[in-house]
Amino acid sequence: MAFVSRGFRGRPRRDVDTSRVPPGQYVVDDFPVLSAGPTPHTDTGDWSFRVDGETDEPAAWTWEEFMALPQETFTADIHCVTKWTKLDTTWTGVSVDTLLDGVVTEAEHVVAWCDGDYTTNLPLEDVTGGRAWLVHSFDGEPLAREHGGPARLVVPHLYFWKSAKWVRGLTLTVDDRPGFWEEAGYHNYGDPWREQRYWSD
Amino acid sequence: MERLTWRVATVSDLVDETAHARTLVLDVDGWPGHVAGQHADVRLTAEDGYQAQRSYSIASAPEDDTLALTIERIDDGEVSPYLAGEARAGDGFELRGPIGGHFTWRVEQGGPLLLVAGGSGLVPLMAMLRHRAARASTTPAVLLVSSRTAEDILYRDELARLAAGDGLAIHHTLTRGAPDGWDGFEGRVDEAMLRAVAPAPSGEPHIFVCGPTPFVEAVADLLVGLSYEPASIHAERFGPTGG
Amino acid sequence: MTDYALDGNVLAGVLVEALGTELTDAPRGCQSCGAVNPVGAHVVYQGAGQVLRCPACGDVALRIVTLAQCHVLTLAGQWRIETPR
């Protein structure tokens, strides 16, 4: 083992509830801000969201139209590939099922694309069935810009790099198209419970 | 360049620079030497194997026999409360370095020098000034240090002694209030302050700016606005709140 | 730039670990705008991994994913990397 420093203990580490905290993760109380680039600044007046790609009926919403859709408030645990887990986070937004309602497609994949150059890819079945939301509020307050405001994707069952900040659309694709981090070495799917961090995990 | 290896650093002395910052003077077995401006990685391992690693700018001159790191104690930090709190003479930890090539200055590179420090951003710039002094260099140099209060100024007495020598001017500004009789600047670094102290752009100074990210970016923008060549401005950002 | 940005100097250690050489002084030519800047003068963001961006146009220069077993580097643009023999 490396040289042990007398008297160093590190941050107090709590006992981990393994039914809620995936392998290799630790629980945090704050909300770390991580970003692949500068924070975009899109006002809700300029914002729109699209569902397009492999479909004959692309759809789009302005902010007002988005806010007029059926809203849900939900609580979830979130897990970042950099090993922090935050329990009981509460979000408000629109289920992706609502956004995809009526969309006919042969696609089995989606690419979430965002202000800035960030993208991430997901199987279509992982953003449907009540497993993904387009959210505008965190803990009852409008989503801070640094955390993805005005709106971001939240897909709690996958590592949080899949919950794209500043998201502006979902493009339905027949082929799987690895996104920003998937191309760069992170796992294509990213299940925290199977610790799928790296492409060959 | 040889690959970096972890070496054991042993604390030989501790100097409390301010209420929040402490210098550790270290003996490092096999230390290969460094250039002013470089940093070192510090790794702490607990008995249960838990590890934490941080980078710290080297405060000492390359000419010194020992290595010095000045660490600012961050309240809810993990490593700095140990290094600048718990650690005592005889304690050890792992250290790797020196690291960095872009933010460095050697006397051979000449001047004039313009050094602008925000808080603990002074540490690598102090290594440059200590190197300059160790080599008895008279390269013209200006240091502008921004600190919160007079009590937060690092190396204040040593800076005053160095300024008594040839060709070095030290200027201070305080952003959170100055004591009675203060004859330095007050407030954030601004264009007027830089105009007053900095060597002219026509002198093509080597410029080093270090400190929290917002500080570094504000100062770099001001310097570009004052017609200093962007490629001559070396910046080292310490993150949102600094070192 | 935001309060969360750092500069390429912060990657000096991981680049030496990964590529065996000091790189912060190495020039990199941007694939989008053509600007040439030392790695140490590029802008660094910490996301799921680290991202190095061109200081002139913001386009991605390097993505670093660090895991227990390896570093994965994805480089863009023109890099000149000198390694000693």
Side-chain angles (χ1 to χ4, degrees):
Chain A
M1 187 160 69
F3 184 93
V4 171
S5 291
R6 180 208 64 80
F8 173 66
R9 269 167 271 285
R11 254 186 249 290
R13 275 153 282 154
R14 315 147 147 169
D15 289 328
V16 148
D17 176 355
T18 54
S19 68
R20 292 186 68 181
V21 181
Q25 300 290 107
Y26 61 90
V27 175
V28 298
D29 292 321
D30 64 342
F31 197 163
V33 175
L34 298 170
S35 176
T39 303
H41 290 267
T42 302
D43 291 325
T44 56
D46 300 319
W47 183 94
S48 62
F49 187 86
R50 289 212 312 267
V51 171
D52 61 16
E54 178 61 28
T55 176
D56 287 335
E57 304 99 22
W61 297 265
T62 62
W63 185 260
E64 292 68 34
E65 290 165 340
F66 165 55
M67 293 301 274
L69 293 171
Q71 305 282 322
E72 294 178 26
T73 295
F74 64 96
T75 300
D77 300 336
I78 59 177
H79 314 292
C80 180
V81 72
T82 62
K83 305 205 170 181
W84 57 264
T85 279
K86 191 165 170 64
L87 302 174
D88 298 319
T89 62
T90 300
W91 309 86
T92 304
V94 175
S95 170
V96 173
D97 291 301
T98 302
L99 299 169
L100 294 176
D101 190 24
V103 168
V104 176
T105 182
E106 309 247 302
E108 295 185 346
H109 304 273
V110 297
V111 173
W113 53 273
C114 314
D115 285 330
D117 51 17
Y118 190 74
T119 57
T120 189
N121 58 315
L122 303 105
L124 182 57
E125 67 176 11
D126 283 83
V127 297
T128 50
R131 300 208 280 172
W133 294 261
L134 179 60
V135 305
H136 52 73
S137 296
F138 170 73
D139 239 12
E141 296 294 324
L143 194 56
R145 280 209 194 282
E146 63 192 15
H147 282 299
R152 74 175 299 164
L153 204 58
V154 172
V155 190
H157 71 283
L158 298 175
Y159 280 122
F160 217 50
W161 90 74
K162 297 279 185 181
S163 292
K165 298 204 279 196
W166 310 296
V167 69
R168 297 296 302 275
L170 292 176
T171 298
L172 297 155
T173 61
V174 170
D175 304 324
D176 192 7
R177 297 192 199 163
F180 187 95
W181 286 120
E182 296 82 4
E183 283 182 327
Y186 277 124
H187 198 275
N188 197 51
Y189 181 66
D191 178 357
W193 294 99
R194 287 180 282 168
E195 213 169 356
Q196 293 176 339
R197 301 181 200 267
Y198 177 48
W199 71 271
S200 68
D201 279 338
Chain B
M1 201 196 91
E2 59 190 9
R3 277 198 95 99
L4 297 187
T5 53
W6 289 101
R7 306 175 196 276
V8 175
T10 307
V11 180
S12 70
D13 200 4
L14 306 92
V15 179
D16 281 324
E17 304 285 357
T18 67
H20 306 287
R22 174 178 288 172
T23 291
L24 296 182
V25 181
L26 306 168
D27 289 315
V28 185
D29 217 21
W31 180 248
H34 68 280
V35 178
Q38 289 188 301
H39 61 270
D41 288 338
V42 169
R43 184 168 75 184
L44 302 178
T45 305
E47 276 173 13
D48 65 357
Y50 178 81
Q51 289 188 328
Q53 182 178 322
R54 298 291 186 274
S55 297
Y56 293 99
S57 291
I58 297 168
S60 47
E63 292 75 13
D64 288 1
D65 292 327
T66 51
L67 198 72
L69 304 179
T70 300
I71 292 124
E72 188 168 328
R73 196 166 43 246
I74 296 166
D75 285 333
D76 60 350
E78 188 173 32
V79 171
S80 66
Y82 175 80
L83 293 176
E86 172 69 34
R88 32 188 212 243
D91 282 338
F93 49 83
E94 288 179 300
L95 184 134
R96 181 174 72 170
I99 299 167
H102 180 65
F103 195 83
T104 57
W105 181 75
R106 293 176 175 84
V107 158
E108 288 77 16
Q109 290 173 249
L113 269 187
L114 171 59
L115 309 177
V116 187
S120 57
L122 178 52
V123 177
L125 306 182
M126 195 62 182
M128 293 178 186
L129 288 178
R130 285 168 166 166
H131 164 60
R132 180 182 170 280
R135 296 283 300 274
S137 162
T138 55
T139 297
V142 171
L143 170 67
L144 172 59
V145 187
S146 174
S147 310
R148 291 194 191 98
T149 67
E151 289 70 42
D152 293 314
I153 300 174
L154 294 172
Y155 321 119
R156 190 174 175 188
D157 293 340
E158 185 180 343
L159 286 173
R161 283 199 304 277
L162 289 175
D166 281 335
L168 172 61
I170 311 273
H171 301 277
H172 291 280
T173 187
L174 300 179
T175 58
R176 300 247 181 112
D180 291 338
W182 175 256
D183 64 353
F185 292 104
E186 288 182 58
R188 292 176 196 275
V189 173
D190 60 16
E191 188 182 301
M193 211 182 289
L194 288 169
R195 276 189 196 282
V197 309
S202 56
E204 296 180 330
H206 302 255
I207 306 174
F208 294 90
V209 186
C210 186
T213 295
F215 174 85
V216 168
E217 293 186 358
V219 170
D221 285 346
L222 287 169
L223 289 168
V224 171
L226 287 168
S227 303
Y228 292 93
E229 188 55 50
S232 69
I233 304 170
H234 299 256
E236 184 153 275
R237 295 164 178 78
F238 277 178
T241 53
Chain C
M1 285 199 210
T2 73
D3 285 359
Y4 301 100
L6 296 170
D7 49 61
N9 294 303
V10 77
L11 296 184
V14 71
L15 289 173
V16 163
E17 250 187 47
L19 297 175
T21 185
E22 164 55 44
L23 269 178
T24 58
D25 239 349
R28 180 211 156 253
C30 184
Q31 71 277 11
S32 303
C33 73
V36 179
N37 284 285
V39 169
H42 281 58
V43 188
V44 170
Y45 294 91
Q46 178 68 56
Q50 290 166 309
V51 183
L52 185 81
R53 290 180 179 271
C54 172
C57 76
D59 205 1
V60 177
L62 170 65
R63 281 169 274 190
I64 304 179
V65 167
T66 295
L67 296 134
Q69 62 272 50
C70 60
H71 295 294
V72 183
L73 279 67
T74 307
L75 295 92
Q78 277 200 307
W79 291 67
R80 193 182 78 212
I81 299 174
E82 254 180 52
T83 64
R85 299 177 56 201

